[in-house]
Amino acid sequence: MYINLSDLKDIGACKHVVLDFEFNDFKYQDREIGINKPLHLDVDIFNTKDSFQLSGNLKGELILECSRCLEKYNSELNLKIEEEVLKEEMEDADELHLADIIRDNILLSLPIKTLCFADCKGICPYCGQNLNRGDCDCEVKQVDPRLAKLKDFFDTE
Ligand SMILES: [Zn+2]
Ligand SMILES: [Zn+2]
């Protein structure tokens, strides 16, 4: 996936690019980043002497995994894009490849702790029940040892 720059040969020239494109889900350090729908890129590209500068924004919707309850949730993506791509690092000066730029910007935008909502209760460490959907019985089963003796006493009655 790239933007054709063959019409942006003059230094100082600029062009406005608006692009909707599919982007594959990807993994990063065991985190799954899902892309829910086509991404929308709206950027100005400037030809400086040594580089192309991109300035604009990227919109879309991600599917992330909550770090507490492990459920997937949708997260709106709305990023400012400010990038400089050095000409000497481009394989072809007419092709501005986007995949790495898009991927890096999405990764930088992710919160350190992904949460489906701020007060997510997470899952019960004993039974795995998602506590956002209701309480489990585990706390009731965790009987105080002193009471347990009493319970044995009554059970034998
Ligand atoms: Zn959650
Ligand atoms: Zn439980």
Side-chain angles (χ1 to χ4, degrees), residues 56-92:
N57 61 66
L58 176 71
K59 290 182 183 169
E61 194 171 77
L62 304 180
I63 303 171
L64 302 176
E65 190 182 85
C66 177
S67 57
R68 276 190 205 150
C69 70
L70 309 180
E71 295 282 320
K72 306 261 186 198
Y73 68 98
N74 292 347
S75 170
E76 193 194 339
L77 182 73
N78 191 351
L79 296 182
K80 255 190 148 8
I81 301 278
E82 298 290 343
E83 286 280 340
E84 181 167 29
V85 180
L86 295 176
K87 290 179 184 175
E88 62 180 24
E89 288 174 3
M90 295 169 71
E91 266 178 52
D92 183 334

Side-chain angles (χ1 to χ4, degrees), residues 19 21 39-43 56-60 77-81 101-103 105-106:
L19 209 59
F21 55 96
L39 297 177
H40 181 80
L41 180 73
D42 188 324
V43 283
N57 61 66
L58 176 71
K59 290 182 183 169
L77 182 73
N78 191 351
L79 296 182
K80 255 190 148 8
I81 301 278
I101 293 174
I102 300 298
R103 192 175 178 276
N105 276 278
I106 289 175

Side-chain angles (χ1 to χ4, degrees), residues 23-26 32-37 61-64:
F23 200 75
N24 289 337
D25 298 350
F26 60 95
E32 286 234 34
I33 294 109
I35 311 292
N36 206 19
K37 57 186 184 186
E61 194 171 77
L62 304 180
I63 303 171
L64 302 176

